[in-house]
Amino acid sequence: MKQFERKVLAFIEKEELVTSGQRILIACSGGVDSVALLLFMANHQQQLGIEVGAVHVDHMLRGEESKEDGRFVKELCEQLKVPFYGGSVPVPEIVEREGGNLQMICREGRYEFFKRILKSHRYDALATAHHAEDQLETVLMQISKGSLPEGMLPVRKMEQGILIRPFLLAKKGELYAYTVQKGAIFREDPSNDSDAYLRNRIRHHIVPLLLSENPAAALNSVKMTKKLQQDDDLLMQLSLKQFQSVVTISEKGFPTVQQHRFAAMHPALQTRLIPLLLKYLYNGESIPVEFTHDLLEQLQYHMQSAEGNVSIDLPRGLRFVREYGRISIVKDEKVNCEDVILLPKGIWTRWADVLFYWNTIEADGVGHADAASEHRFFNLSESELPLYVRGKQNGDRILLPGMTKPKRLSRLFIDEKIGALQREKQPVLLTAQHEICAVPGIRYGTRFTHQWTGREKYIFKMKEASSPNLGREEFRC
């Protein structure tokens, strides 16, 4: 057993699973694997410089029998003189009330309890008894589902603390022998014998065959996944660098991606940048967002291609949009500014996400135009003022410089390569006689000039609503 202990201690040191002074919470079901882990960690507290406690969750699936599992773990903790934390999750009630996957409900309930104990009793890490055969099973499950066979990590971050797997390089038989050698008993969960679950079917029918062909198959899976995890770590670091150069974040926190830059990236970096993009978007959500393999593939396909325009709905009311070589993630919200809104002279007035302003040059001055993201000078008669704004409508036209007939806005949007997303929110500027005189941000009519010639009486300005130092504002919608 000394050889087994040395191997586990070396693995803990190599993977830096614990540091002196940490408090480690052992997840113990009462089965042989978790009992072995509890024994090992409790017996090596002084050597590792740690404090150990144990946590057990009753899923209430086997009545008195599952209650007895908890009592068994509690008695073991008393013998080892380590703190015990027990709890229960009413899985049968949850399944009857909400339905869903039994194993998933058990796992979510179990880890929610673990998280509470970690936080309330100030433990630094949760330790689980996953071993080499568990890693082989995980790899086979990932392959069957079309995922990369990267297996389980020796250590990973949790919402509360970290999760460590000190036995990942150990074999099931070694854990059994260690428990017996220590004179400890353990309990067996009858559900482990059922072929109702994929992991159990792999455990009972596939893993034994592989181990009969090569007894080192489980350990080989641990070594293989380690290399794949190292490769993934390197690619993820490269993807983070690409993220900073390819993705631009707006003032409102929404990202845009230059399609040609993304398409030039190696596919291995593309597949990692997309989850990074989505994780950035959903950071802080109280409900975790799960992305299916199909969605990730769909996004990668449309981000690689530049043909046509695409819009894809995403969770939480967000939308992926590719328009004219530009990729954006936007909040899928409608502009409720269909009414005609008055723009009072000399006052910044908000319409959707932009602010408009107009005044006489005599009152405002030409130099103040620099305070806006866009400005124009114009002349209109007194009967054509004040200015108004509304959303674009079917049939709208504008007379542009150099043209003898008004041009349809629908045609203008096509010529200027204005995407559907911007068209939905595009304002138009009206005279008091409801004539369209400008499409701010795109084109201005014959009454407007870019430079002040000395003959224009008025100045028009536009700026994003989130821009600072705008002075007095009126919010109209």
Side-chain angles (χ1 to χ4, degrees), residues 398-407 412 443-446:
I398 183 173
L399 183 62
L400 298 173
M403 300 185 68
T404 57
K405 294 182 180 181
K407 185 172 186 175
L412 175 65
R443 292 291 298 274
Y444 288 80
T446 56

Side-chain angles (χ1 to χ4, degrees), residues 372-444:
S373 59
E374 184 170 284
H375 68 273
R376 292 293 188 276
F377 304 95
F378 68 96
N379 276 324
L380 286 174
S381 65
E382 292 297 322
S383 64
E384 294 176 299
L385 294 172
L387 294 174
Y388 293 83
V389 65
R390 66 163 168 80
K392 62 93 179 173
Q393 297 176 359
N394 292 334
D396 279 346
R397 296 172 181 268
I398 183 173
L399 183 62
L400 298 173
M403 300 185 68
T404 57
K405 294 182 180 181
K407 185 172 186 175
R408 283 185 176 272
L409 293 195
S410 57
R411 185 70 251 176
L412 175 65
F413 291 151
I414 294 173
D415 293 344
E416 298 291 332
K417 295 185 176 180
I418 305 301
L421 182 67
Q422 185 177 343
R423 296 182 198 183
E424 293 176 6
K425 301 181 178 181
Q426 179 61 47
V428 296
L429 204 63
L430 307 173
T431 68
Q433 299 168 351
H434 296 280
E435 174 192 355
I436 297 177
C437 58
V439 186
I442 300 178
R443 292 291 298 274
Y444 288 80

